[in-house]
Amino acid sequence: MQQQISVVTLGIIDLERSRRFYTEGFGWSPVFENNEIVFYQMNGFVLGTWLKHALEQDLNLRDLRRPGAFSLAHNVARQEDVVPTMARLESAGGRIVRQASKPAHGGFRGHVADPDDHTWEIAWNPAWTIDARGFVSFGL
Amino acid sequence: MQQQISVVTLGIIDLERSRRFYTEGFGWSPVFENNEIVFYQMNGFVLGTWLKHALEQDLNLRDLRRPGAFSLAHNVARQEDVVPTMARLESAGGRIVRQASKPAHGGFRGHVADPDDHTWEIAWNPAWTIDARGFVSFGL
């Protein structure tokens, strides 16, 4: 079986509020959108932001909770990119949950929650490679 | 800024129980593991499964909740792969949350929760392409 994830879908409350965070904060462009979902073509997979009640209906689950027991990370090319990226996300409706600092395992990172309490680590990790297409490889 | 996610990290309770689901259920191989985290190299990014208390400490958040308001999808090449994949995940400790069926938007899919209540859609979606490396592209 392919070692592959096709879609990461985030449950959101307000489509426009979420869209602003991702398009203005990260500067990403949707590949598709309608009145309940926005899709972004990512590095080898697709990110969806979908109204939570529709996601719950699709999953056949109720009461999906926030903040969920997961996080997402966006790595940047240089240590000095971390703080400005976090500031831009905050300006676009995000909330700083951990100021940038050096973790024990190396690198430099901080955390920002999106408007729906989904947490993003903004990280500089020199051991991991990111190619020109944005494909990320694990490294030690 | 790159339209890029570097890591998806799932908060888990029992490392061995989670590892069994991902290695035996999906058949994936870790790229790194220690006594609190397992990393898998995915299609252009990295999946981490990390003990929830360590993730909470790293994020500077408490009480990360399950099931969280998100889902992941693994697309398969053929419609007839969906049900056997779900059965294999169930055998490896997953829980069927929605039997496979045809959604209104087309294709064929069902949902399985991992041992930590993180939901996976197992989908056949003929409009989306998956290349030999596992890189997935949005399509209509």
Side-chain angles (χ1 to χ4, degrees):
Chain A
M1 210 173 306
Q2 277 188 329
Q3 199 144 328
Q4 173 254 103
I5 294 176
S6 308
V7 196
V8 176
T9 304
L10 304 177
I12 61 169
I13 302 300
D14 180 321
L15 202 71
E16 197 46 52
R17 182 180 70 172
S18 172
R19 189 185 190 287
R20 177 169 170 253
F21 180 82
Y22 289 98
T23 61
E24 296 181 19
F26 278 115
W28 296 343
S29 300
V31 65
F32 174 85
E33 54 191 309
N34 64 23
N35 62 2
E36 64 174 42
I37 197 164
V38 181
F39 281 117
Y40 303 87
Q41 175 64 53
M42 305 304 296
N43 44 308
F45 64 104
V46 174
L47 172 67
T49 54
W50 199 5
L51 292 179
K52 189 167 86 77
H53 71 83
L55 176 62
E56 287 172 336
Q57 190 170 15
D58 187 59
L59 297 182
N60 198 29
L61 288 172
R62 295 294 168 269
D63 190 27
L64 295 181
R65 297 170 203 164
R66 301 171 306 149
F70 77 106
S71 73
L72 302 167
H74 174 81
N75 286 12
V76 294
R78 303 174 310 165
Q79 177 167 345
E80 55 265 38
D81 295 334
V82 171
V83 169
T85 301
M86 293 175 66
R88 188 165 143 177
L89 292 171
E90 189 179 24
S91 298
R95 179 173 55 84
I96 304 287
V97 298
R98 180 173 205 146
Q99 296 292 343
S101 63
K102 296 185 181 189
H105 51 271
F108 188 68
R109 60 88 176 94
H111 293 94
V112 182
D114 86 355
D116 293 280
D117 284 332
H118 304 307
T119 310
W120 285 86
E121 179 184 49
I122 305 302
W124 170 69
N125 180 345
W128 292 29
T129 59
I130 308 174
D131 75 13
R133 301 162 303 175
F135 297 145
V136 177
S137 297
F138 181 87
L140 281 178
Chain B
M1 210 172 307
Q2 276 188 328
Q3 199 143 328
Q4 173 254 102
I5 294 176
S6 309
V7 197
V8 176
T9 305
L10 304 177
I12 61 169
I13 302 300
D14 180 322
L15 201 70
E16 197 46 51
R17 183 180 70 171
S18 171
R19 188 185 191 286
R20 176 169 170 253
F21 179 82
Y22 290 98
T23 60
E24 296 181 19
F26 278 115
W28 296 343
S29 301
V31 64
F32 175 84
E33 54 192 309
N34 63 23
N35 61 2
E36 64 173 44
I37 197 164
V38 180
F39 281 117
Y40 302 87
Q41 175 65 52
M42 304 304 296
N43 44 309
F45 64 104
V46 174
L47 172 68
T49 53
W50 198 7
L51 292 178
K52 189 168 86 78
H53 71 83
L55 177 63
E56 288 172 335
Q57 189 170 16
D58 187 58
L59 297 181
N60 198 29
L61 289 172
R62 295 293 167 269
D63 191 27
L64 295 181
R65 297 169 203 165
R66 300 171 305 149
F70 77 106
S71 73
L72 303 168
H74 175 80
N75 286 13
V76 294
R78 303 175 309 164
Q79 178 168 345
E80 56 265 38
D81 295 335
V82 171
V83 169
T85 301
M86 291 174 67
R88 188 165 144 178
L89 292 170
E90 189 179 23
S91 297
R95 178 173 55 85
I96 305 287
V97 297
R98 178 171 206 147
Q99 295 292 344
S101 63
K102 296 185 179 188
H105 52 272
F108 188 69
R109 60 90 175 93
H111 294 94
V112 182
D114 87 353
D116 293 280
D117 284 332
H118 305 308
T119 310
W120 285 85
E121 179 184 49
I122 306 301
W124 170 69
N125 180 344
W128 292 29
T129 58
I130 309 174
D131 75 12
R133 300 162 305 176
F135 297 145
V136 176
S137 296
F138 180 86
L140 282 179

